[in-house]
Coordinates of all heavy atoms in Angstrom, one line a residue:
N211 N 142.1 112.0 154.2 CA 140.6 112.2 154.0 C 140.0 110.9 153.8 O 140.5 110.0 153.1 CB 140.4 113.2 152.9 CG 139.0 113.4 152.5 OD1 138.3 112.4 152.1 ND2 138.4 114.6 152.5
W213 N 137.3 109.9 152.0 CA 136.5 109.6 150.8 C 137.1 108.6 149.9 O 136.4 107.7 149.5 CB 136.2 110.9 150.1 CG 135.3 110.7 148.9 CD1 135.6 110.7 147.6 CD2 133.9 110.4 149.0 NE1 134.5 110.4 146.9 CE2 133.4 110.2 147.7 CE3 133.0 110.3 150.1 CZ2 132.1 109.9 147.4 CZ3 131.7 110.0 149.8 CH2 131.2 109.8 148.5
N214 N 138.3 108.8 149.5 CA 138.9 107.9 148.4 C 138.7 106.4 148.7 O 138.4 105.6 147.8 CB 140.3 108.2 148.1 CG 140.5 109.4 147.2 OD1 139.5 110.0 146.8 ND2 141.7 109.8 146.9
A217 N 134.3 106.2 151.5 CA 133.0 106.8 151.1 C 132.1 106.8 152.4 O 132.4 107.3 153.4 CB 132.4 106.1 149.9
D248 N 134.9 113.0 155.3 CA 134.2 113.6 154.2 C 132.7 113.3 154.3 O 132.2 113.3 155.4 CB 134.8 112.9 152.9 CG 134.8 113.8 151.7 OD1 133.7 113.8 151.1 OD2 135.8 114.4 151.3
D249 N 132.0 113.2 153.2 CA 130.6 113.1 153.1 C 130.1 111.9 153.9 O 130.9 111.0 154.2 CB 130.2 112.9 151.6 CG 128.8 113.4 151.3 OD1 128.0 113.6 152.3 OD2 128.5 113.5 150.2
C250 N 128.8 111.9 154.3 CA 128.1 110.7 154.9 C 128.2 110.5 156.4 O 128.1 109.4 156.9 CB 128.5 109.4 154.2 SG 128.4 109.4 152.4
Y290 N 133.2 118.0 156.9 CA 132.7 118.2 155.5 C 131.3 118.8 155.5 O 130.4 118.3 156.3 CB 132.7 116.9 154.8 CG 132.0 116.8 153.5 CD1 132.7 116.9 152.3 CD2 130.6 116.6 153.5 CE1 132.0 116.8 151.1 CE2 129.9 116.5 152.3 CZ 130.6 116.6 151.1 OH 129.9 116.5 149.9
S291 N 131.0 119.7 154.7 CA 129.7 120.1 154.3 C 129.6 120.6 152.9 O 130.6 120.4 152.2 CB 129.1 121.2 155.3 OG 127.7 121.3 155.1
C292 N 128.5 121.1 152.5 CA 128.3 121.4 151.1 C 127.5 122.7 150.9 O 126.7 123.0 151.8 CB 127.6 120.2 150.5 SG 127.2 120.4 148.8
T297 N 124.2 117.4 150.4 CA 125.6 117.0 150.0 C 125.5 116.1 148.8 O 124.4 115.7 148.3 CB 126.3 116.2 151.1 OG1 125.8 114.9 151.2 CG2 126.2 116.9 152.5
C298 N 126.7 115.8 148.2 CA 126.7 115.0 147.0 C 126.0 113.7 147.2 O 125.4 113.1 146.3 CB 128.1 114.9 146.4 SG 128.8 116.5 146.1
A299 N 126.2 113.1 148.4 CA 125.6 111.8 148.7 C 124.2 111.9 149.3 O 123.6 110.9 149.8 CB 126.5 111.1 149.6
G300 N 123.7 113.2 149.3 CA 122.2 113.3 149.7 C 122.0 113.6 151.2 O 120.9 113.5 151.7
Y301 N 123.0 114.0 151.9 CA 122.8 114.3 153.3 C 122.6 115.8 153.5 O 122.8 116.6 152.6 CB 124.1 113.9 154.1 CG 124.3 112.4 154.2 CD1 124.8 111.7 153.1 CD2 123.8 111.7 155.3 CE1 125.0 110.3 153.1 CE2 123.9 110.3 155.3 CZ 124.5 109.6 154.3 OH 124.7 108.2 154.3
K324 N 135.9 121.0 154.7 CA 135.9 120.8 153.2 C 134.4 121.2 152.8 O 133.5 120.7 153.4 CB 136.2 119.4 152.8 CG 136.0 119.1 151.4 CD 136.5 117.7 151.0 CE 136.1 117.3 149.6 NZ 136.6 116.0 149.2
Y325 N 134.3 122.0 151.8 CA 133.0 122.6 151.4 C 132.7 122.3 150.0 O 133.2 123.0 149.1 CB 133.0 124.1 151.8 CG 131.6 124.6 152.0 CD1 130.7 124.0 152.9 CD2 131.2 125.8 151.4 CE1 129.5 124.5 153.1 CE2 130.0 126.3 151.6 CZ 129.1 125.7 152.5 OH 127.8 126.2 152.7
D326 N 131.8 121.4 149.8 CA 131.5 120.8 148.4 C 130.5 121.7 147.7 O 130.0 122.7 148.2 CB 131.0 119.4 148.6 CG 131.5 118.4 147.6 OD1 131.7 118.9 146.4 OD2 131.6 117.2 147.9
F327 N 130.1 121.3 146.5 CA 129.3 122.2 145.6 C 128.1 121.5 145.0 O 127.5 122.0 144.1 CB 130.2 122.7 144.5 CG 129.7 123.9 143.8 CD1 129.3 125.1 144.6 CD2 129.7 124.0 142.5 CE1 128.9 126.2 143.9 CE2 129.3 125.1 141.8 CZ 128.9 126.2 142.5
C328 N 127.6 120.3 145.5 CA 126.5 119.7 144.9 C 125.2 120.4 145.3 O 125.1 121.0 146.3 CB 126.4 118.2 145.3 SG 127.6 117.2 144.5
C359 N 135.6 123.2 147.5 CA 135.6 122.1 146.6 C 134.5 122.3 145.5 O 133.4 121.6 145.6 CB 135.3 120.8 147.4 SG 135.2 119.3 146.3
N360 N 134.7 123.2 144.6 CA 133.7 123.4 143.5 C 134.2 122.9 142.2 O 133.7 123.3 141.1 CB 133.2 124.9 143.5 CG 134.2 125.7 142.7 OD1 135.4 125.4 142.4 ND2 133.8 126.9 142.2
W361 N 135.2 122.1 142.2 CA 135.7 121.3 141.0 C 136.2 122.3 139.9 O 136.1 121.9 138.7 CB 134.7 120.4 140.5 CG 133.8 119.7 141.5 CD1 134.3 118.9 142.5 CD2 132.4 119.8 141.7 NE1 133.2 118.5 143.3 CE2 132.0 119.1 142.8 CE3 131.4 120.5 141.0 CZ2 130.7 118.9 143.2 CZ3 130.1 120.4 141.4 CH2 129.8 119.6 142.5
R379 N 139.7 123.0 145.3 CA 139.7 121.9 144.3 C 139.5 122.6 143.0 O 138.5 123.4 142.8 CB 138.6 120.9 144.6 CG 139.0 119.9 145.7 CD 139.8 118.7 145.0 NE 139.0 118.1 143.9 CZ 138.0 117.3 144.1 NH1 137.7 116.9 145.4 NH2 137.3 116.8 143.1
T381 N 139.5 120.7 140.0 CA 139.1 119.7 138.9 C 138.0 118.7 139.5 O 137.7 118.7 140.7 CB 140.3 118.8 138.6 OG1 140.6 117.9 139.7 CG2 141.6 119.6 138.3
G382 N 137.5 117.9 138.6 CA 136.6 116.8 139.0 C 137.4 115.8 139.8 O 138.6 115.9 140.1
D383 N 136.7 114.7 140.2 CA 137.3 113.8 141.2 C 138.4 112.9 140.5 O 138.2 112.3 139.5 CB 136.2 112.9 141.8 CG 135.3 113.6 142.7 OD1 135.4 114.9 142.8 OD2 134.4 113.0 143.4
I384 N 139.4 112.6 141.3 CA 140.5 111.7 140.9 C 139.9 110.3 141.1 O 139.1 110.0 141.9 CB 141.7 111.9 141.7 CG1 143.0 111.2 141.1 CG2 141.5 111.5 143.2 CD1 144.3 111.7 141.7
D414 N 143.3 117.5 144.1 CA 142.5 116.4 144.7 C 143.3 115.5 145.6 O 144.6 115.5 145.6 CB 141.8 115.5 143.6 CG 140.5 114.9 144.2 OD1 140.2 115.0 145.4 OD2 139.7 114.3 143.4
M415 N 142.6 114.7 146.4 CA 143.3 113.8 147.3 C 144.1 112.8 146.6 O 143.9 112.4 145.5 CB 142.2 113.0 148.1 CG 141.6 113.8 149.2 SD 139.9 114.4 148.9 CE 138.9 113.0 148.5
N425 N 136.7 103.1 147.4 CA 135.7 103.8 146.7 C 136.1 104.3 145.3 O 135.2 104.3 144.4 CB 135.3 105.0 147.6 CG 134.2 105.9 147.0 OD1 133.3 105.4 146.4 ND2 134.3 107.2 147.2
V426 N 137.3 104.8 145.1 CA 137.6 105.4 143.7 C 138.5 104.4 142.9 O 139.3 104.9 142.1 CB 138.2 106.8 143.8 CG1 137.2 107.7 144.5 CG2 139.6 106.8 144.5
Ligands
GAL799 C1 132.5 115.3 145.5 C2 133.9 115.7 145.9 C3 134.6 114.5 146.4 C4 133.8 114.0 147.6 C5 132.4 113.7 147.2 C6 131.5 113.3 148.4 O1 131.8 116.4 145.0 O2 134.6 116.2 144.8 O3 135.9 114.8 146.8 O4 133.9 114.9 148.7 O5 131.8 114.8 146.6 O6 130.2 113.0 148.0

Side-chain angles (χ1 to χ4, degrees):
N211 174 299
W213 184 255
N214 278 0
D248 208 282
D249 206 345
C250 311
Y290 165 98
S291 189
C292 176
T297 72
C298 302
Y301 292 83
K324 174 170 171 180
Y325 204 49
D326 220 330
F327 199 51
C328 285
C359 178
N360 82 342
W361 324 298
R379 276 277 303 283
T381 72
D383 290 9
I384 194 167
D414 208 353
M415 282 104 56
N425 179 40
V426 301

